[in-house]
Amino acid sequence: SQQGEEDPQALSIQEGENATMNCSYKTSINNLQWYRQNSGRGLVHLILIRSNEREKHSGRLRVTLDTSKKSSSLLITASRAADTASYFCATENVWAGGTSYGKLTFGQGTILTVHP
Amino acid sequence: GAGVSQSPRYKVAKRGQDVALRCDPISGHVSLFWYQQALGQGPEFLTYFQNEAQLDKSGLPSDRFFAERPEGSVSTLKIQRTQQEDSAVYLCASSSLLRGKETQYFGPGTRLLVL
């Protein structure tokens, strides 16, 4: 079953604009990760934020995490046509009484289209 | 030294046929995951191996699905008596168990179409 809900489901912007995608989840987590998937290809890891972190940056990416609201956002600044892809958030959940081995629970994704 | 590879990339099967999907993880990665991704959906967990041990198979949808990793490296996902609802992309991922290096590296997937 899918853990997260992402919104919007689809986002269409012009090159140079910023894109913001949101993810909500339901259970306690160890970390939250964002992945990108180009059409017909595998998933590429973008960034990981741990449950004790609130914000993280990587190049043009900025991720925030609010564990009290069980939500995260991914901001892509100065978007490019090459950023066109599906973006997924994935959580590594806390498992009662056991050591987490990294199993990920994915959201349904946001389809981002960046027009040149 | 490259990333995770999967074969075949595409597979068309007639309903009732058995199929075998192969995953070559990154060398030295202890953890190996299989996920199933239906069209327009996010990936869903199927099973997890730590070396050769299958520690979690809670996501396998039925007893027609079987996975193995006998020597702790290459893994095979087998689907017996395929059904149309098995049509999906099957993704394999591997990772280290070392803290700080938990990133899962995904293969390109095998797109299975059952007719």
Side-chain angles (χ1 to χ4, degrees):
Chain A
S1 61
Q2 309 264 250
Q3 147 98 300
E5 292 184 4
E6 296 180 59
D7 84 277
Q9 289 189 327
L11 180 60
S12 182
I13 60 174
Q14 295 297 126
E15 219 170 21
E17 293 180 340
N18 296 341
T20 300
M21 289 160 266
N22 302 295
C23 168
S24 62
Y25 57 91
K26 298 174 184 173
T27 62
S28 297
I29 63 172
N30 289 321
N31 63 65
L32 185 144
Q33 303 176 38
W34 285 89
Y35 284 82
R36 182 185 73 221
Q37 186 175 40
N38 291 88
S39 179
R41 296 190 179 182
L43 291 149
V44 175
H45 183 263
L46 296 176
I47 196 164
L48 179 153
I49 186 166
R50 300 188 190 284
S51 60
N52 61 352
E53 297 175 313
R54 293 295 166 258
E55 187 171 316
K56 206 161 183 180
H57 297 254
S58 176
R60 293 185 296 113
L61 306 180
R62 173 179 169 250
V63 170
T64 62
L65 179 64
D66 186 336
T67 52
S68 66
K69 295 182 179 178
K70 291 187 166 59
S71 68
S72 173
S73 68
L74 170 68
L75 168 68
I76 304 174
T77 59
S79 63
R80 305 166 182 167
D83 294 330
T84 295
S86 293
Y87 291 81
F88 294 92
C89 70
T91 54
E92 182 185 322
N93 300 336
V94 173
W95 301 100
T99 301
S100 173
Y101 53 79
K103 170 181 173 181
L104 294 176
T105 304
F106 284 83
Q108 295 194 341
T110 293
I111 300 172
L112 172 66
T113 303
V114 182
H115 300 280
Chain B
V4 178
S5 60
Q6 292 185 245
S7 61
R9 291 292 311 277
Y10 303 92
K11 178 69 180 177
V12 179
K14 292 182 179 178
R15 191 173 55 182
Q17 225 177 347
D18 296 349
V19 298
L21 313 179
R22 177 187 168 107
C23 171
D24 284 81
I26 292 174
S27 178
H29 274 186
V30 168
S31 295
L32 186 145
F33 303 80
W34 283 98
Y35 294 86
Q36 179 190 59
Q37 186 175 20
L39 190 64
Q41 302 293 314
E44 292 204 10
F45 171 81
L46 292 178
T47 188
Y48 166 70
F49 289 87
Q50 190 172 111
N51 295 306
E52 69 279 2
Q54 189 176 21
L55 298 187
D56 187 344
K57 52 182 180 179
S58 62
L60 295 176
S62 77
D63 58 7
R64 296 185 296 103
F65 286 71
F66 171 77
E68 60 183 5
R69 192 186 186 196
E71 297 178 357
S73 55
V74 171
S75 177
T76 304
L77 176 66
K78 297 179 180 177
I79 309 173
Q80 298 176 324
R81 304 181 303 282
T82 52
Q83 303 294 314
Q84 286 184 323
E85 61 264 28
D86 300 335
S87 295
V89 176
Y90 291 84
L91 296 166
C92 174
S94 70
S95 71
S96 165
L97 273 179
L98 297 174
R99 178 153 175 90
K101 297 187 177 182
E102 314 95 318
T103 298
Q104 289 186 31
Y105 294 89
F106 281 80
T110 294
R111 187 175 298 272
L112 173 65
L113 177 62
V114 181
L115 301 175

